[in-house]
Amino acid sequence: MQAYFSHSYRDVPINTYFSELFDAAKISLRADQKSEVWCMAKLERYMFEMGGFVSIIPRRIAADESITYSPYIGRELMLARRARAPRILFVDDQVLNSHRSDFPATAVPFFHDAPETERARHVEVIDQFRKDLAGGLARPPRRYVEKRATVIAGKEPLLRDAASHVAAILRSKTYISTVKNAAGLDQAFDDIDVFESLLDSELCVFVLDKELSHSDLLLAMAHAHCIPSVRLRHDPEATSSDPELSGVVRWKSAEELRPRFLKVFENYLSAFQEPSSKEDLQRLATPSAGGSEWDPSDGPGLLAHIQPEDSYVSDRVDGVMRGLASLEKSRLHSDRVCRSLYDRIKKERFYYTYEPASAQKAAQRIRTPTEIGALNCGTCIDYVCMFASMLEAAHEEPVVVVTRTGGRAHAVAGYYAPDAIAWDSPPQLGDLRGAINSGDVVLFETTGAVEARGGTVAAETESERKEGGSMLDYQTAKDAAKRLIGQNDVEVTHFIDVKQARLNRA
Amino acid sequence: MASPVKLYHQEMHNNLGYFATWLPASIIELGDIGVLDAGRFRRVGSLKELGIQHSGTREGTAENMSYSASAKRGDGASVGASTIVPVAKAEISIQFTSQGGFVFDAVGMRNIEIADRLAVATDILKAYERGQWQKEWLVVEAMYHAVSATIIVSEDSASEIVLKANANVPLGTLPLADPKLGLSVSSSNGKLVHLVAADNLHPLYSCLKVRDPLFGAPSVAPVRGLGKDESVRKLSRPAIEDLLES
């Protein structure tokens, strides 16, 4: 008995609680590996290959402090409702109160901090869900011809060529593909061959114009029947290559079509995962893509990952610097800059996760700021490089400190005060402690600006995380970094003075 | 000649990032100029004598501090921050098990530093350019002042000291720097440097030097107007090795 597991990757403790209840009820949950590709076709495909749909909907705190939830989870729920999949929903009680009309009446509330408070109720509804699935309510698999694909083209020659290109790519991947279109309104409504071709296909690809056409009617039919579909829309003014929440992928030219289609198609072909432990859930939340490799024994090698010219960085820094009254260098100014950058990133509501897997054991992949922005997650060294990039872009003098404590490595970022006196050689632990005490070096826990649920990342306390809503305010992030450097068993493995290191490399 | 009490220097530097004043009762002041020699700061002059004024000081808040290393009770149990255990009701015995083993206990420790470091840095560099400043000179730019401190450092690999209070109180958890205890040395064995409840000490200091090479910095600066100068970039801090191997 399998069910699709729709959940928020960042809420590992909540996911762990519910996945254990489903495990005990002998319902296996299948979930998608987090990636930067939002693939509607894959979700539509799996909606019919699972007996049911399980949704765990935790709360999010929006920038204006209002209660909300992930739009992606909302989309998955809409998909399940459209597919008439048997479903069970657990919704954060505050989300349910604020957005009651978004959810079916069967939604079951939970308290985010201690979902086990209502364990008996949760066990009861999961047991009923299991009985429903076993009693014949499970969604029967969709009937289609494996490896058959229908490509629906718009009317323009450019779209017809693009559809032929897509069909050729599908054939190269051993699919039997046919290209069809709707020449008029009647054909779109009444061409039963085209409609049956949609129903019988494993996958449909729509190559449509920016403006609505008759072929869009066929997309509407596929959409209503939850037929796995890739939605390619030609848009000469497209600004993003990422799939939209609706599943639409926009492309500007014939050259862009192939990579954009392949990005979604390859995700469609990837398999779902079956998480059975907290570690599995954490792994699912860790996107496998992204990042470039860094040898952790090569401290100065981190320079390549500090990218003040990254567009994500410059956008945020420009916004923050515009809001600061004075550019006069002083300790106060540096504190304002760093605090403002930190608070800006907090608003993004990123979350803490592990590093992407690397084939090289002696290397760690570090995500760029733009990748963090796209994936909404990162590990400590990702965030350290991102903050160092932002501080450098803001004309501060960033430093990066990599530590080792009891076999575990961690990193914090910070900056030199404008009147700080540096060392000729890399500082030792005592030097660093002295500089922190005197304010010559200011360090902060960069993961404090992101959500870390269900525990701590470094030297912050659980209560500090809890009080900050899984994050830390800037002062607490500084305290946590100071505490880390003050620990008895801490070692400083790398200290990188970014400005000096760049001069040394020049 | 290297420092005879490396462990003391290393541990105090490791804990606070400051150099330990040696001998602990030596007089050292903000703005003193000197060189490192055998683990000591040897004063050769002051900023004032060179005509360099500093406008004021910044002070931190007072706190008590307690550190120790290679110091054990007479019965062999380890001695840490709450290390000192009474032998009799108003007596404590401390055994040191390596050269440089120490007990550092201070009350009312307050950090004091030169406030306008940028201006002082600029003046030092001018003095350097005029040939008035020697490359090996250091200037004391920050230090700790202790209202009262007990500092005991062993110069032998094995030594012992017994302290006695003038009141019949248990000493186990009380700060040994507390002058109200009226502590005095009851007996000692081996080569020890000891200050017991001494007041108004400067047991820790931090200093700066002119960066070597001074003109190794890049000659190209960004074109962004005339902000504050970057004199501080032409100064650096000596490493603990410079002290230990002096």
Side-chain angles (χ1 to χ4, degrees):
Chain A
M1 198 178 294
Q2 288 192 329
Y4 175 69
F5 187 36
S6 173
H7 67 290
S8 164
Y9 296 101
R10 69 185 71 193
D11 295 278
V12 171
I14 291 170
N15 298 334
T16 304
Y17 164 74
F18 281 109
S19 72
E20 284 172 358
L21 296 187
F22 282 96
D23 198 39
K26 307 282 185 219
I27 298 172
S28 337
L29 300 177
R30 301 285 298 274
D32 201 5
Q33 174 75 48
K34 182 175 174 63
S35 79
E36 61 180 312
V37 181
W38 168 247
C39 183
M40 281 275 285
K42 185 180 185 185
L43 296 168
E44 286 165 331
R45 170 184 160 197
Y46 275 99
M47 217 43 80
F48 286 94
E49 293 185 10
M50 305 283 155
F53 177 87
V54 172
S55 186
I56 311 296
I57 304 179
R59 67 178 183 167
R60 292 266 172 283
I61 309 294
D64 63 357
E65 303 291 318
S66 62
I67 300 284
T68 182
Y69 61 98
S70 160
Y72 294 96
I73 294 186
R75 200 77 192 179
E76 288 180 347
L77 175 59
M78 186 198 297
L79 203 61
R81 295 171 79 172
R82 187 147 31 83
R84 281 83 72 200
R87 55 192 173 266
I88 183 169
L89 278 80
F90 294 98
V91 185
D92 181 291
D93 57 347
Q94 293 179 35
V95 172
L96 203 51
N97 287 338
S98 309
H99 304 273
R100 175 74 64 179
S101 62
D102 291 0
F103 302 103
T106 52
V108 180
F110 69 86
F111 173 50
H112 69 276
D113 242 9
E116 66 278 5
T117 309
E118 295 169 274
R119 180 189 293 271
R121 166 89 172 120
H122 297 157
V123 168
E124 182 190 338
V125 293
I126 290 171
D127 190 50
Q128 185 57 49
F129 184 60
R130 183 187 60 76
K131 286 176 184 162
D132 290 346
L133 294 181
L137 283 182
R139 190 82 174 83
R142 175 174 163 257
R143 284 187 291 182
Y144 60 86
V145 181
E146 216 168 303
K147 294 277 183 183
R148 178 170 176 177
T150 298
V151 183
I152 303 291
K155 204 168 70 175
E156 301 299 321
L158 174 73
L159 301 179
R160 287 205 305 271
D161 287 350
S164 291
H165 191 179
V166 168
I169 294 170
L170 287 165
R171 285 195 296 276
S172 75
K173 304 284 184 186
T174 71
Y175 276 74
I176 299 163
S177 57
T178 53
V179 179
K180 298 183 182 294
N181 67 3
L185 193 61
D186 288 346
Q187 193 187 5
F189 275 120
D190 297 334
D191 190 334
I192 195 65
D193 281 346
V194 173
F195 183 61
E196 285 182 346
S197 181
L198 296 179
L199 292 177
D200 291 344
S201 291
E202 177 193 318
L203 176 70
C204 295
V205 182
F206 290 85
V207 186
L208 303 173
D209 204 353
K210 187 180 176 186
E211 305 302 327
L212 290 182
S213 69
H214 296 125
S215 292
D216 278 276
L217 280 173
L218 298 175
L219 172 60
M221 292 176 195
H223 185 77
H225 285 269
C226 218
I227 297 165
S229 300
V230 176
R231 296 134 167 103
L232 300 172
R233 203 171 278 283
H234 179 239
D235 182 353
E237 291 162 6
T239 54
S240 170
S241 64
D242 296 328
E244 295 171 5
L245 191 59
S246 64
V248 168
V249 179
R250 296 186 188 274
W251 56 284
K252 284 193 285 194
S253 63
E255 293 72 39
E256 281 186 359
L257 180 69
R258 180 185 171 85
R260 294 198 179 181
F261 171 64
L262 278 176
K263 193 172 170 185
V264 177
F265 181 56
E266 281 165 4
N267 189 280
Y268 165 80
L269 293 175
S270 63
F272 271 19
Q273 308 285 320
E274 189 172 339
S276 61
S277 64
K278 184 178 175 181
E279 285 69 33
D280 288 346
L281 288 162
Q282 181 70 64
R283 186 172 43 74
L284 278 180
T286 306
S288 53
S292 52
E293 287 184 337
W294 168 61
D295 173 0
S297 67
D298 176 17
L302 276 174
L303 273 187
H305 302 272
I306 297 170
Q307 302 170 352
E309 71 284 1
D310 180 284
S311 60
Y312 178 91
V313 168
S314 49
D315 285 354
R316 271 66 186 171
V317 171
D318 288 350
V320 163
M321 298 305 282
R322 271 198 299 273
L324 296 178
S326 164
L327 293 177
E328 179 76 14
K329 287 242 171 205
S330 67
R331 289 191 175 203
L332 190 61
H333 173 74
S334 297
D335 181 71
R336 279 190 189 136
V337 169
C338 193
R339 183 186 298 271
S340 302
L341 292 171
Y342 183 91
D343 288 341
R344 175 67 189 81
I345 293 303
K346 270 183 91 176
K347 287 183 181 167
E348 304 274 9
R349 289 270 161 184
F350 294 148
Y351 70 94
Y352 170 78
T353 189
Y354 295 163
E355 71 281 5
S358 172
Q360 291 192 36
K361 287 199 171 168
Q364 177 168 353
R365 296 183 76 83
I366 298 180
R367 301 175 180 96
T368 65
T370 296
E371 285 169 334
I372 293 170
L375 296 164
N376 292 318
C377 64
T379 197
C380 63
I381 195 75
D382 300 341
Y383 293 123
V384 159
C385 290
M386 182 177 77
F387 273 108
S389 303
M390 291 199 295
L391 287 164
E392 192 175 17
H395 300 289
E396 296 297 324
E397 296 190 21
V399 299
V400 168
V401 181
V402 181
T403 63
R404 180 165 285 280
T405 314
R408 293 189 62 201
H410 185 56
V412 290
Y415 61 87
Y416 273 121
D419 62 344
I421 310 270
W423 303 270
D424 283 337
S425 50
Q428 296 186 8
L429 182 59
D431 294 317
L432 198 50
R433 286 173 172 163
I436 292 169
N437 282 334
S438 67
D440 277 9
V441 169
V442 176
L443 298 179
F444 60 99
E445 175 56 55
T446 61
T447 67
V450 306
E451 291 184 12
R453 300 202 171 183
T456 57
V457 176
E460 78 276 25
T461 64
E462 284 193 20
S463 63
E464 284 170 343
R465 276 275 173 200
K466 204 168 176 180
E467 281 167 20
S470 303
M471 302 200 283
L472 305 175
D473 62 49
Y474 180 60
Q475 183 57 49
T476 309
K478 287 201 292 186
D479 293 345
K482 187 174 179 181
R483 215 177 289 142
L484 174 81
I485 300 300
Q487 285 178 348
N488 284 335
D489 55 347
V490 73
E491 294 171 45
V492 174
T493 49
H494 303 299
F495 177 90
I496 297 126
D497 171 347
V498 173
K499 184 176 181 179
Q500 190 60 45
R502 291 210 194 280
L503 289 172
N504 293 344
R505 288 213 161 178
Chain B
M1 189 177 73
S3 164
V5 286
K6 278 188 175 181
L7 181 65
Y8 175 55
H9 279 308
Q10 281 171 326
E11 287 288 318
M12 292 310 293
H13 180 263
N14 195 44
N15 286 320
L16 294 165
Y18 277 63
F19 289 170
T21 307
W22 192 254
L23 298 164
S26 300
I27 295 168
I28 197 163
E29 298 293 344
L30 281 185
D32 276 357
I33 296 167
V35 293
L36 298 177
D37 177 21
R40 298 181 183 205
F41 181 86
R42 301 271 187 200
R43 187 179 182 281
V44 296
S46 70
L47 290 176
K48 194 174 176 183
E49 288 167 37
L50 285 183
I52 300 174
Q53 303 290 335
H54 58 89
S55 56
T57 58
R58 264 195 312 241
E59 293 193 11
T61 50
E63 54 192 328
N64 296 345
M65 292 183 183
S66 182
Y67 299 101
S68 66
S70 295
K72 287 184 177 179
R73 285 170 44 186
D75 61 7
S78 182
V79 179
S82 55
T83 54
I84 319 299
V85 174
V87 171
K89 198 169 183 183
E91 265 191 3
I92 51 168
S93 164
I94 308 162
Q95 288 183 330
F96 296 96
T97 56
S98 71
Q99 190 183 43
F102 69 93
V103 167
F104 180 103
D105 219 18
V107 294
M109 282 278 276
R110 188 188 296 273
N111 179 43
I112 307 170
E113 61 189 32
I114 291 174
D116 194 352
R117 196 190 277 164
L118 284 167
V120 169
T122 303
D123 288 344
I124 288 174
L125 289 167
K126 283 179 185 165
Y128 182 87
E129 285 160 11
R130 289 195 301 267
Q132 289 179 304
W133 186 278
Q134 303 303 310
K135 199 172 73 177
E136 65 274 18
W137 283 0
L138 303 160
V139 59
V140 176
E141 56 98 25
M143 61 189 184
Y144 272 96
H145 172 263
V147 170
S148 175
T150 289
I151 302 169
I152 306 166
V153 186
S154 173
E155 290 192 313
D156 277 346
S157 56
S159 58
E160 182 178 13
I161 191 166
V162 177
L163 303 179
K164 187 178 176 183
N166 64 2
N168 196 16
V169 292
L171 295 174
T173 56
L174 293 175
L176 292 183
D178 187 347
K180 292 196 288 287
L181 295 175
L183 282 175
S184 60
V185 177
S186 171
S187 65
S188 69
N189 180 18
K191 197 173 173 187
L192 290 157
V193 173
H194 53 81
L195 285 172
V196 179
D199 57 3
N200 291 318
L201 292 180
H202 291 152
L204 300 165
Y205 66 98
S206 171
C207 50
L208 306 175
K209 61 178 182 176
V210 174
R211 188 182 285 274
D212 186 23
L214 173 59
F215 298 108
S219 56
V220 179
V223 181
R224 62 158 83 114
L226 303 174
K228 282 191 176 176
D229 71 45
E230 295 215 331
S231 302
V232 287
R233 297 287 165 261
K234 293 172 183 170
L235 301 184
S236 71
R237 294 184 182 282
I240 182 66
E241 285 76 16
D242 295 334
L243 178 71
L244 299 178
E245 305 306 326
S246 59

